[in-house]
């Protein structure tokens, strides 16, 4: 088993984990399609910033029956305002989120790893909040639970719990 990588051909939004009925104006990879993949690693958006075309990455869900035994990596690096918006519960062996302009959890959800680390890099270009929101945030009314079997590594100029939003971290659980 090797690595599977998805990117967009031109600067655009990449939506991952949509139901078949939900479609966006950008590139879509639906939940039923994710369940058909089998690989050690799965990458969304080229990890090389110069080669990445993902302007925004919208993550709705990741199916528990996806056969990815290693790292799932999300890279939204295609513009200076590129961000990741995650909604819905997600379980991975290990996972890494990389965004130039922030990682936002838009709903109450649980992010879990069963083997390895959770890496959340919300400001890969190190512009800080001046260049956008650049933070790790939970929207108002959202309770986000992040459970890692190993370590949780966060790189962000700030962690924002908007209004009544909360982020709970639990490592080595």
């Amino acid at each position: 088993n090797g690595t599977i990588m998805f990117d967009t051909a031109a600067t655009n939004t990449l939506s991952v984990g949509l139901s078949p009925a939900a479609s966006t104006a950008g590139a879509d990879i639906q939940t039923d399609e994710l369940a058909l993949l089998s690989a050690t690693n799965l990458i969304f958006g080229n990890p090389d910033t110069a080669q990445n075309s993902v302007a925004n990455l919208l993550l709705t869900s990741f199916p528990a029956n996806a056969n990815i035994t290693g790292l799932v990596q999300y890279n939204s690096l295609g513009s200076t305002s590129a961000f990741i918006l995650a909604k819905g519960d997600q379980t991975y062996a290990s996972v890494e989120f990389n965004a130039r302009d922030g990682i936002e959890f838009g709903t109450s959800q649980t992010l879990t790893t069963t083997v390895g680390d959770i890496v959340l890099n919300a400001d890969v270009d190190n512009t800080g909040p001046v260049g956008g929101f650049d933070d790790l945030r939970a929207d108002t009314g959202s309770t986000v639970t992040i459970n890692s079997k190993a370590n949780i590594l966060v790189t962000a100029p700030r962690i924002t719990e908007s209004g009544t939003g909360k982020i709970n971290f639990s490592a080595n659980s």
Side-chain angles (χ1 to χ4, degrees), residues 58-78:
L58 308 176
L59 175 59
T60 304
S61 66
F62 192 84
N65 62 340
N67 189 22
I68 308 301
T69 57
L71 175 68
V72 175
Q73 184 182 65
Y74 297 99
N75 300 298
S76 186
L77 311 170

Side-chain angles (χ1 to χ4, degrees), residues 16-27:
V16 178
L18 296 173
S19 67
S23 182
T24 66

Side-chain angles (χ1 to χ4, degrees), residues 4 21 23 29 60 79 83 98 106 113-114 136 138 142 157:
I4 298 171
S23 182
I29 302 168
T60 304
S79 73
F83 66 89
N98 296 301
T113 58
T114 57
L136 178 66
S142 298

Side-chain angles (χ1 to χ4, degrees), residues 49 76-80 82-83 98-102 122-125 127 134:
T49 302
S76 186
L77 311 170
S79 73
T80 56
F83 66 89
N98 296 301
R100 287 178 75 174
D101 199 32
D123 187 22
V124 299
D125 58 2
T127 59
D134 287 317

Side-chain angles (χ1 to χ4, degrees), residues 2-6 16 29 34 37 39-44 62 66 68-75 92 94 96:
T3 298
I4 298 171
M5 184 172 78
F6 293 97
V16 178
I29 302 168
L34 291 170
L37 302 177
T40 301
N41 301 307
L42 179 59
I43 300 171
F44 296 97
F62 192 84
I68 308 301
T69 57
L71 175 68
V72 175
Q73 184 182 65
Y74 297 99
N75 300 298
Y92 305 92
S94 60
E96 182 175 335

